[in-house]
Amino acid sequence: NLTDKTSQFTIKKYNKYKEIMNDIDKKRDEKMSESQRLTYDIFSTYIKNELDGEKFMFYQYPLNHLDGAHLTILNTFTKVHRIKNENDVKNYISRLKEIDTKINQLLDDLNYRESIGIIPPLFSLEKCEKQISDFLSENPKENVLVVSLDKKISDIKTITNKEKYIDEATDITEKSVYPAYEKLLEYTRKLERNSNNIAGVWKLPNGDKYYEY
């Protein structure tokens, strides 16, 4: 997806959880109905569980070969983003322009995780490298981001200037998306040099505590 991926955003999210938890504790009282108390208790349990894992907030791998950010970003366009009218096309184009920002945010997050010793296993990084390389190997006009748009709008008669939108998507892919993914490819290769094939969480700092969690 295209949500903020920076380490700062993750930290802010947990600070917000703490504010919510304090608010929940203050507002729960006996005047609530049974269903209201149940709702509060369920939500409170969820927030408490999240806060229990605060010290492990960066222990996942946002770059991995199964559902890494480099894949989910693309899936947002190919599988999630629906197009029914011209306004949807314009939104698709606008989102394409955001990919560069999202990759930069991802790089910020990966760099922070690396600094605290959270590095994906080598075999996963190598598969990521191939996925990114394959993505970049296509001619921009034949890239999945452009091809997906073409397929989505091909049968919608109310959308005019289809070629204009395809050309715009191609231009963004070539001049913005590709350079962003090239930076990610370069960083992936850097991580590979500092990684190994040990996949167990116990290899991470305080990995035994994370495993217990």
Side-chain angles (χ1 to χ4, degrees):
N1 58 58
L2 299 181
T3 55
D4 193 330
K5 301 181 184 302
T6 60
S7 54
Q8 293 93 333
F9 177 81
T10 302
I11 293 170
K12 287 179 182 178
K13 180 177 70 173
Y14 277 86
N15 288 336
K16 187 64 177 179
Y17 285 156
K18 293 174 185 177
E19 292 177 14
I20 293 172
M21 195 70 248
N22 289 333
D23 194 46
I24 288 175
D25 290 340
K26 290 177 182 177
K27 288 186 177 180
R28 191 185 189 287
D29 59 44
E30 296 303 320
K31 294 180 181 179
M32 291 181 176
S33 67
E34 184 176 345
S35 63
Q36 287 175 326
R37 283 198 299 272
L38 178 60
T39 299
Y40 259 67
D41 289 344
I42 291 173
F43 188 55
S44 174
T45 299
Y46 167 76
I47 297 296
K48 285 178 180 177
N49 288 339
E50 289 295 308
L51 288 173
D52 284 343
E54 181 180 11
K55 55 183 169 292
F56 305 119
M57 71 175 84
F58 293 109
Y59 273 51
Q60 300 78 34
Y61 301 132
L63 181 65
N64 69 79
H65 65 288
L66 298 176
D67 58 358
H70 64 295
L71 301 174
T72 58
I73 287 174
L74 302 181
N75 287 342
T76 297
F77 293 90
T78 60
K79 297 180 180 180
V80 178
H81 193 117
R82 294 185 177 184
I83 294 180
K84 295 182 179 180
N85 53 54
E86 196 152 4
N87 191 56
D88 291 338
V89 181
K90 292 177 181 178
N91 288 336
Y92 188 101
I93 296 296
S94 294
R95 277 184 157 183
L96 276 181
K97 295 176 182 178
E98 294 178 19
I99 291 180
D100 174 67
T101 298
K102 299 310 169 186
I103 294 295
N104 284 331
Q105 291 174 350
L106 173 62
L107 289 169
D108 169 271
D109 184 61
L110 292 172
N111 185 64
Y112 181 78
R113 289 174 198 256
E114 182 186 11
S115 74
I116 60 173
I118 311 299
I119 301 175
L122 180 59
F123 68 85
S124 181
L125 289 170
E126 290 174 339
K127 290 179 180 179
C128 289
E129 178 185 351
K130 185 178 186 308
Q131 290 167 339
I132 298 169
S133 295
D134 288 347
F135 172 76
L136 290 169
S137 68
E138 295 287 349
N139 181 296
K141 194 160 188 175
E142 297 172 355
N143 184 273
V144 63
L145 295 171
V146 180
V147 172
S148 177
L149 176 62
D150 194 12
K151 289 180 179 178
K152 291 174 188 285
I153 67 176
S154 61
D155 295 327
I156 304 179
K157 296 180 180 179
T158 56
I159 297 177
T160 59
N161 297 320
K162 293 178 182 177
E163 195 59 39
K164 167 182 169 292
Y165 289 121
I166 296 301
D167 289 343
E168 188 173 359
T170 301
D171 189 63
I172 295 169
T173 299
E174 179 179 9
K175 297 178 181 178
S176 179
V177 178
Y178 273 19
Y181 269 77
E182 284 166 358
K183 286 188 290 186
L184 180 59
L185 179 61
E186 180 180 351
Y187 194 80
T188 301
R189 288 169 174 161
K190 174 180 177 293
L191 287 176
E192 288 175 14
R193 294 192 290 272
N194 298 318
S195 184
N196 56 50
N197 276 315
I198 300 174
V201 297
W202 51 267
K203 78 165 186 174
L204 302 174
N206 297 314
D208 54 339
K209 298 295 183 182
Y210 180 49
Y211 181 79
E212 291 176 7
Y213 165 72

